[in-house]
Amino acid sequence: LLPCTQVVEVGQTMLQQLLGRLKTSIQLPECLRIMGYLRRIAAFSEAELRLQFLACRDEWISNLVDELDDSDSYEYVKHLTDVHRLHLFDAVMQ
C-alpha cells in the first residue's frame, strides 16, 4: 500500500498527463476516453472540466499557429486558414 502522499502525487501526475494529452493532436475516440478518465477522477466540476478542455485545446491550436512561418504573408494566411479549418473543427466536434 502506498502512503497517502504518494497516492496524491500519483493522482496529480496522472491528471497532468491527461490534461497534457489534450494539448496535443488527438482523434475523437482518444479525446472521449481522456474526458471519461477526467470525469472519473472528479478533480473538476463539470463546468471546470469543460473550461479545462477548452483551455487545453486552445493551447494546442495556439501552438500550431505560433509554429507557422510568417515570412511570406500569403503563405502564412493560407496555412493559418488551414489550421483553423482543420483543427478548430476537430476541437468543436470533440
Side-chain angles (χ1 to χ4, degrees):
L1 228 36
L2 294 174
C4 204
T5 56
Q6 285 181 315
V7 171
V8 171
E9 288 175 14
V10 169
Q12 286 299 317
T13 300
M14 185 171 65
L15 176 64
Q16 292 308 315
Q17 289 174 344
L18 289 170
L19 292 174
R21 191 69 185 115
L22 287 175
K23 296 175 185 177
T24 63
S25 177
I26 56 175
Q27 298 298 315
L28 181 60
E30 184 178 1
C31 182
L32 294 174
R33 247 188 328 274
I34 291 170
M35 292 304 290
Y37 295 146
L38 289 170
R39 280 191 176 94
R40 283 185 225 124
I41 292 172
F44 305 109
S45 69
E46 187 62 30
E48 291 170 331
L49 182 60
R50 291 174 186 209
L51 287 174
Q52 284 290 329
F53 172 81
L54 291 173
C56 290
R57 300 312 281 162
D58 179 57
E59 184 175 331
W60 171 63
I61 291 173
S62 295
N63 287 337
L64 291 175
V65 170
D66 290 344
E67 293 172 0
L68 293 176
D69 180 19
D70 60 357
S71 60
D72 179 6
S73 299
Y74 175 77
E75 287 298 315
Y76 176 77
V77 171
K78 188 170 91 171
H79 287 95
L80 180 66
T81 305
D82 287 341
V83 165
H84 283 101
R85 179 178 50 86
L86 295 171
H87 303 298
L88 192 58
F89 178 76
D90 284 345
V92 169
M93 289 304 296
Q94 293 167 346

